[in-house]
Amino acid sequence: MNKFVYLFKEGRADMKALLGGKGANLAEMTNIGLPVPPGMTITTEACTEYYRLGRKLPEGLMDEIKRNLSVVEQQAEKKFGDLKNPLLVSVRSGAMFSMPGMMDTILNLGLNEDTVQSVAKNTGNLRFAYDAYRRFIQMFSDVVLEIPKYEFEDILHRQKDVQGVKYDQELTPESLRKIIDSYKELVQAKTSNVFPENPLDQLAMAIEAVFRSWNNDRAIVYRNLNKIDHDLGTAVNIQSMVFGNMGNDSGTGVAFTRNPSTGENLLYGEFLTNAQGEDVVAGIRTPRPIAQLNDEMPVLYTEFSRIARLLESHYKNMQDIEFTIERGRLYILQTRNGKRTAQASVRVAFEMAQEGLITKQQALLLVEPSQLDQLLHRQIDSNATLNVAAKGLPASPGAASGEVVFDADEAERMDKAGKKVLLVRTETTPDDIHGIVAAQGILTSRGGMTSHAAVVARGMGKPCVCGCEAIRIDYAKQEFNIGTIVIKKGELVSIDGSTGRVILGEVPMKDPEISKEYTSLLGWADEFKRLGIRANADTPEDAKKAREFGAIGIGLVRTEHMFMQQDRLPYVQQMILAETLEDRQKALAHLLPMQEGDFYGILQAMEGFPVTIRLLDPPLHEFLPSLEELLVETTELRITEKNPKLLEEKLMLLKKVRALHEFNPMLGHRGCRLGITFPEIYEMQMQAIFNAAARLTKEGYKVLPEVEIPLTIDVNEMKFFREKIEVIAATTMKAANVTFHYSIGTMIEMPRAALLAEELAEFCDFFSFGTNDLTQTTLGFSRDDAEGKFLPHYLERKILKENPFVAIDQKGVGKLMRIAVEGGRKVRPGLEIGICGEHGGEPSSVRFCHEIGLNFVSCSPYRVPLARLAAAQAAISDSENIGTR
Ligand code: PEP
Ligand code: MG
């Protein structure tokens, strides 16, 4: 026969599948010598057997329990159902995976009319005994007999009214006695049976109820949501009860082994004497700081401190411990890894390694990479009371307060006038860039985590809340509303880009603090990671920031951002509108020195490190006014007849905009297709790169420019561009009489490029995965439409597990990436391969890039620290050896 019952001392932490998470943990604590109230665990196998038998307890199970119970009785020095010193137990479910609140718990089992009197006598406290009894009847009736809770609550409330008191604690023993009698009458009326008096019957019924609760509706829904197998079954833990409310030498409390907000290595928590856990939660009595336990019960405090240390070194993590003191004896009820702030997380990991409790590798694994992001931004002061009005997506971390504006030009004007503004738009476009620069933060009602606003804000390290559907913007009235609240232009609003909260009014903030622990921990990350971490940066300032955060190069300079600047745009438009090559070259001649200046600044800021400069990528119409705008303007000019010359110019523009109109610009005339049709544009950019490189080399700087071609699909494109690049590089070096190293490569962002990587590699020194476009084109999802429209439904219905624009779709997009890596390296074993899509700063994607052997990931400067840690974690988990102290 199977062994269905394990005493706590027979189990281990790695027996979660059989004993459930809670059972395995209780066993582990028992075995390291902690004072855990004795008990036993009925295995998950007993539960599956119960279902296999058609909902019947397996034969012999109760006998096995009785045998083990006698051991527990000896350990507890109490006896089940005993009239002198009765043992009371708790009966709790505990599956392999934690399912908080999904199944049921019964406390104080073993009480009946006789034992309740013994408990009263032994404790000298009839009130306590009756209160425990009425709680037991209530829980048992709810869980086992399935009588709704509220019927018991009604009785309780009625009795409080009769006695004229507000809180349960104020009920007298007489009132509690009446409540018990009424409870029992209710049970009799509902079940036509008396409430079970025999403790062993109570136990068998309770165990069966826990098994049944595995298949209650909420547990099934929870398992479906969390993809937990329905066949696992739950274990049942039977544990002797201990009471913290047996007098002033008893108490209960919760403590963290270190401070969970700051990470300081000091016990942190609270306790209450003569109380049960519920009293702490109920908030009627204020618990006291754990340090005061030292004044009251110094021996127990020392003992608890010792145990806290022991648990920390055993679990190699900061612990959150629940304890109870029953008549001067300390019991540990539970321990788990403690939740902590980002700041605490870093400090705890660093100090635990310094103290020799864990290795550097283990320390690195203790910190959640996404937490690092928060530390680089201003945060809302956690003591502030907030008037939260809505919630959107936490698109870019940090907090900001400002006067609401609805238009980028206005944002810029107000910023110049010294005001702090918050830019509020349905969504943003490249046209709004100056407004984003001017604003403290951005709030949009539409768009997802990779919408324009989100990507740009993250790149700049500005707070952003996106897709906040609760806000309705009325541009005409210059206001927005959240339900009935109306917020007008100029009113103060705050956003928290780390949580997505939109808050009315201004809020107090805390500046980011880069601690020495943070810097040291990231230094350790660099020792272990294999991936290089670069940044996506378009300006010398961003490049400097990226270096400060530890980037070792730029993985993507998007040159189009430079074309958008106000001093260039007229020449860019002139270039687009040119009808002849000659006219176009005139415009390009203006742009050349400007671009050269841009590249000079960036290459200088990144001295000694590689800088990948991508040639122009977006469709040209993005640099022109919109069709709608021009239609309105030309109509007005026609009606007023005031300015025929301007009308003529605008009509020309309109004609060009119409000519450039595309049904699907993302798949249209963009990327290197522009370089094929207008080679002079790309040639100007190539020339600008090499002029800058030559000047810097002359001035004694070491530069490493990498010229990158976007959106290629065929080797012949690469061949065409490579020849041009090589000619321009050679002539520039010769003319300037210098030499410098440069390389040529392509983005891999179209499935055809990935599939034909083997051919492309012949003309490439490097590849960089543009996973934004590669995701769009592999899934056939237009990013902006998908996130706003159908993608949320896909995620809700679990058709897709994750937003593929946030975390790499490893199955599909990832497969193409693997093909490209393999193909490319087959032809060129030393081919440098990286990623520069938004995924380059997302931890699970970084891990994937490590696994498929990329050389680098590139992300926005503010995500560089996070990527360094994620890359180290990938390398550490990979190597199995997480070191010895
Ligand atoms: C990409 O497609 O992943 C990429 C980096 O290019 P962009 O986002 O500029 O299209
Ligand atoms: Mg792209």
Side-chain angles (χ1 to χ4, degrees):
M1 202 185 90
N2 266 348
K3 177 174 167 66
F4 283 135
V5 182
Y6 285 73
L7 288 167
F8 289 165
K9 64 179 183 195
E10 294 176 305
R12 280 189 324 266
D14 61 3
M15 290 167 73
K16 282 198 169 76
L18 190 66
L19 303 179
K22 198 177 286 151
N25 196 19
L26 286 165
E28 187 74 10
M29 289 201 294
T30 304
N31 284 320
I32 57 174
L34 297 187
V36 174
M40 68 183 100
T41 303
I42 304 171
T43 64
T44 53
E45 282 175 4
C47 179
T48 45
E49 185 65 5
Y50 166 81
Y51 281 104
R52 201 186 63 78
L53 296 170
R55 298 188 175 230
K56 259 185 63 198
L57 290 183
E59 208 173 311
L61 177 66
M62 282 315 290
D63 291 335
E64 203 181 342
I65 290 172
K66 275 189 233 162
R67 279 199 302 279
N68 284 285
L69 197 57
S70 63
V71 183
V72 174
E73 286 171 339
Q74 276 167 23
Q75 291 168 332
E77 295 168 10
K78 292 177 185 167
K79 226 169 144 34
F80 207 46
D82 191 48
L83 291 187
K84 270 212 199 106
N85 199 8
L87 172 71
L88 305 184
V89 296
S90 63
V91 179
R92 287 190 165 99
S93 62
M96 178 176 178
F97 299 105
S98 157
M99 294 169 57
M102 289 304 123
M103 290 177 295
D104 298 315
T105 291
I106 299 167
L107 304 178
N108 305 336
L109 189 138
L111 279 174
N112 56 26
E113 288 298 345
D114 296 330
T115 53
V116 75
Q117 296 306 334
S118 318
V119 171
K121 202 153 90 212
N122 292 346
T123 57
N125 191 340
L126 182 63
R127 209 209 85 87
F128 159 70
Y130 276 164
D131 191 44
Y133 194 25
R134 74 107 194 139
R135 286 177 204 247
F136 165 58
I137 299 174
Q138 191 168 338
M139 271 188 266
F140 188 92
S141 303
D142 169 33
V143 175
V144 181
L145 307 175
E146 299 179 3
I147 307 172
K149 259 193 224 140
Y150 70 86
E151 305 213 19
F152 294 91
E153 293 291 337
D154 280 352
I155 294 174
L156 186 69
H157 284 138
R158 275 204 300 276
Q159 191 57 40
K160 279 199 270 188
D161 288 347
V162 170
Q163 204 197 305
V165 294
K166 191 166 164 209
Y167 297 115
D168 298 2
Q169 284 92 328
E170 297 167 297
L171 287 166
T172 58
E174 296 70 35
S175 287
L176 287 164
R177 180 69 249 178
K178 284 192 189 130
I179 291 170
I180 292 166
D181 293 339
S182 307
Y183 277 6
K184 288 190 165 180
E185 282 161 22
L186 176 66
V187 170
Q188 173 102 44
K190 289 274 172 185
T191 63
S192 312
N193 275 318
V194 289
F195 187 83
E197 284 281 301
N198 179 337
L200 274 175
D201 290 347
Q202 293 173 352
L203 187 59
M205 289 168 85
I207 291 165
E208 198 175 338
V210 174
F211 284 164
R212 262 199 326 265
S213 75
W214 173 253
N215 274 332
N216 70 26
D217 291 345
R218 61 183 197 276
I220 292 174
V221 170
Y222 186 91
R223 288 199 296 274
N224 282 338
L225 273 177
N226 293 282
K227 305 224 158 4
I228 297 174
D229 191 340
H230 292 293
D231 296 332
L232 294 175
T234 180
V236 184
N237 297 295
I238 302 170
Q239 185 175 26
S240 36
M241 295 284 305
V242 285
F243 295 96
N245 52 351
M246 282 200 171
N248 286 334
D249 56 354
S250 302
T252 188
V254 179
F256 289 84
T257 51
R258 300 180 189 228
N259 185 317
S261 343
T262 64
E264 193 189 359
N265 187 3
L266 252 186
L267 266 185
Y268 178 93
E270 26 195 40
F271 78 105
L272 263 179
T273 39
N274 198 10
Q276 274 187 304
E278 290 168 354
D279 303 326
V280 180
V281 183
I284 295 150
R285 285 167 57 194
T286 311
R288 288 185 297 148
I290 190 86
Q292 290 182 14
L293 185 63
N294 200 15
D295 306 334
E296 242 166 84
M297 307 183 198
V299 178
L300 286 179
Y301 181 79
T302 311
E303 171 68 355
F304 182 72
S305 306
R306 185 190 67 81
I307 289 173
R309 287 278 149 260
L310 180 71
L311 280 171
E312 220 186 52
S313 59
H314 186 75
Y315 287 100
K316 301 195 181 307
N317 202 335
M318 174 181 119
Q319 296 296 298
D320 166 0
I321 308 166
E322 285 175 25
F323 66 92
T324 285
I325 299 164
E326 185 187 274
R327 295 180 154 174
R329 267 181 82 172
L330 174 68
Y331 293 96
I332 304 297
L333 302 184
Q334 167 140 263
T335 187
R336 58 189 159 199
N337 296 337
K339 295 241 179 302
R340 65 208 81 173
T341 62
Q343 189 197 347
S345 180
V346 169
R347 181 164 170 189
V348 166
F350 175 75
E351 291 188 349
M352 283 178 73
Q354 289 283 300
E355 291 157 22
L357 279 177
I358 54 176
T359 61
K360 283 184 187 175
Q361 292 97 313
Q362 286 167 331
L364 288 164
L365 293 175
L366 276 190
V367 180
E368 177 60 44
S370 51
Q371 282 192 313
L372 288 187
D373 219 11
Q374 294 170 20
L375 294 175
L376 300 174
H377 302 275
R378 294 210 314 157
Q379 301 287 317
I380 293 178
D381 188 335
S382 51
N383 298 320
T385 1
L386 304 176
N387 189 357
V388 179
K391 207 156 175 229
L393 299 171
S396 178
S401 295
E403 293 182 29
V404 166
V405 287
F406 298 96
D407 157 310
D409 294 340
E410 183 65 8
E412 198 176 37
R413 269 194 297 279
M414 286 175 65
D415 174 52
K416 285 206 177 115
K419 301 225 161 117
K420 291 196 182 330
V421 297
L422 188 77
L423 181 63
V424 182
R425 310 258 324 145
T426 45
E427 55 201 341
T428 63
T429 69
D431 283 345
D432 297 318
I433 198 89
H434 55 298
I436 298 179
V437 171
Q440 303 296 308
I442 300 98
L443 168 63
T444 71
S445 57
R446 265 197 246 140
M449 299 288 284
T450 51
S451 61
H452 177 266
V455 173
V456 174
R458 277 201 292 276
M460 293 183 189
K462 278 202 190 217
C464 174
V465 172
C466 274
C468 183
E469 286 171 7
I471 70 168
R472 298 250 174 275
I473 304 172
D474 188 332
Y475 286 123
K477 286 195 190 154
Q478 293 280 289
E479 63 180 40
F480 72 92
N481 73 292
I482 304 171
T484 53
I485 310 168
V486 178
I487 296 123
K488 294 197 179 305
K489 183 184 153 198
E491 285 185 38
L492 279 168
V493 167
S494 307
I495 55 168
D496 180 357
S498 311
T499 60
R501 291 177 299 180
V502 179
I503 303 143
L504 301 183
E506 201 166 9
V507 296
M509 311 252 188
K510 269 193 332 215
D511 278 333
E513 288 165 31
I514 300 298
S515 61
K516 68 172 194 308
E517 292 89 4
Y518 178 94
T519 314
S520 311
L521 199 78
L522 282 172
W524 295 349
D526 294 339
E527 288 173 29
F528 295 102
K529 72 181 172 43
R530 202 197 59 217
L531 280 168
I533 312 297
R534 298 196 193 179
N536 294 354
D538 309 330
T539 62
E541 294 72 45
D542 283 355
K544 283 195 199 100
K545 189 114 251 147
R547 278 191 67 174
E548 273 167 37
F549 290 150
I552 51 154
I554 291 186
L556 176 64
V557 178
R558 288 181 164 106
T559 49
E560 60 270 21
H561 289 169
M562 301 160 182
F563 278 33
M564 280 289 176
Q565 286 172 23
Q566 292 305 312
D567 57 336
R568 331 272 164 99
L569 202 57
Y571 298 114
V572 175
Q573 294 183 341
Q574 199 178 319
M575 169 189 91
I576 298 169
L577 298 172
E579 294 290 342
T580 63
L581 177 62
E582 206 188 341
D583 281 351
R584 190 153 41 249
Q585 265 162 346
K586 267 193 209 143
L588 287 168
H590 284 286
L591 289 170
L592 175 67
M594 295 175 174
Q595 281 264 275
E596 187 181 319
D598 298 329
F599 300 143
Y600 181 92
I602 295 174
L603 286 166
Q604 188 183 40
M606 267 287 153
E607 206 217 332
F609 294 113
V611 177
T612 311
I613 302 172
R614 178 177 77 182
L615 304 187
L616 197 64
D617 183 56
L620 294 180
H621 74 80
E622 283 195 10
F623 302 102
L624 297 178
S626 78
L627 186 68
E628 293 79 11
E629 220 174 279
L630 283 169
L631 282 172
V632 172
E633 279 178 342
T634 48
T635 313
E636 276 172 6
L637 284 166
R638 262 204 196 103
I639 295 168
T640 56
E641 291 181 0
K642 271 194 194 139
N643 196 341
K645 189 159 172 283
L646 185 63
L647 175 63
E648 196 184 325
E649 276 173 24
K650 293 277 174 184
L651 284 171
M652 273 282 295
L653 203 55
L654 181 63
K655 196 168 143 209
K656 196 75 187 181
V657 168
R658 280 212 165 105
L660 287 175
H661 173 77
E662 290 180 307
F663 290 103
N664 197 340
M666 272 299 148
L667 298 179
H669 194 179
R670 60 172 284 223
C672 70
R673 299 158 205 174
L674 289 170
I676 299 281
T677 48
F678 304 113
E680 53 283 2
I681 299 180
Y682 269 26
E683 279 162 9
M684 179 278 285
Q685 292 196 296
M686 294 169 194
Q687 190 67 62
I689 294 169
F690 292 128
N691 284 355
R695 260 168 67 199
L696 284 161
T697 310
K698 264 204 164 146
E699 290 165 19
Y701 290 95
K702 183 170 175 344
V703 291
L704 292 165
E706 302 185 331
V707 186
E708 181 175 59
I709 310 296
L711 230 68
T712 47
I713 51 145
D714 196 276
V715 61
N716 287 326
E717 291 167 328
M718 251 347 265
K719 192 160 173 252
F720 176 78
F721 293 117
R722 186 164 189 118
E723 276 165 14
K724 281 188 188 300
I725 295 167
E726 283 175 345
V727 169
I728 294 176
T731 46
T732 313
M733 284 195 226
K734 191 157 173 230
N737 196 21
V738 288
T739 51
F740 51 82
H741 180 80
Y742 69 93
S743 58
I744 301 170
T746 183
M747 303 272 290
I748 301 285
E749 47 187 346
M750 294 288 124
R752 192 174 198 269
L755 295 169
L756 301 182
E758 214 174 310
E759 292 181 23
L760 280 166
E762 216 185 307
F763 293 92
C764 288
D765 309 312
F766 67 88
F767 284 170
S768 180
F769 287 106
T771 42
N772 301 335
D773 273 307
L774 192 59
T775 302
Q776 298 205 84
T777 48
T778 302
L779 280 82
F781 284 5
S782 148
R783 179 168 73 191
D784 296 320
D785 296 325
E787 288 200 322
K789 298 201 169 75
F790 54 87
L791 193 52
H793 299 277
Y794 268 64
L795 297 173
E796 228 163 73
R797 282 170 210 268
K798 302 266 171 228
I799 292 171
L800 289 178
K801 262 207 210 126
E802 270 184 292
N803 179 343
F805 293 108
V806 173
I808 287 177
D809 156 43
Q810 297 187 14
K811 246 165 105 184
V813 174
K815 192 164 179 181
L816 284 169
M817 291 172 75
R818 284 182 199 274
I819 291 172
V821 171
E822 200 189 297
R825 295 238 172 96
K826 197 155 126 198
V827 176
R828 251 181 221 251
L831 186 73
E832 275 275 313
I833 310 181
I835 176 177
C836 61
E838 279 299 296
H839 305 87
E842 189 279 323
S844 73
S845 310
V846 172
R847 174 178 296 266
F848 179 72
C849 292
H850 168 92
E851 279 165 17
I852 64 170
L854 299 200
N855 300 89
F856 69 86
V857 299
S858 188
C859 54
S860 75
Y862 285 87
R863 281 182 161 187
V864 166
L866 171 168
R868 285 162 71 193
L869 179 62
Q873 291 185 344
I876 292 166
S877 323
D878 214 23
S879 71
E880 284 202 354
N881 170 20
I882 55 171
T884 47
R885 260 164 243 166

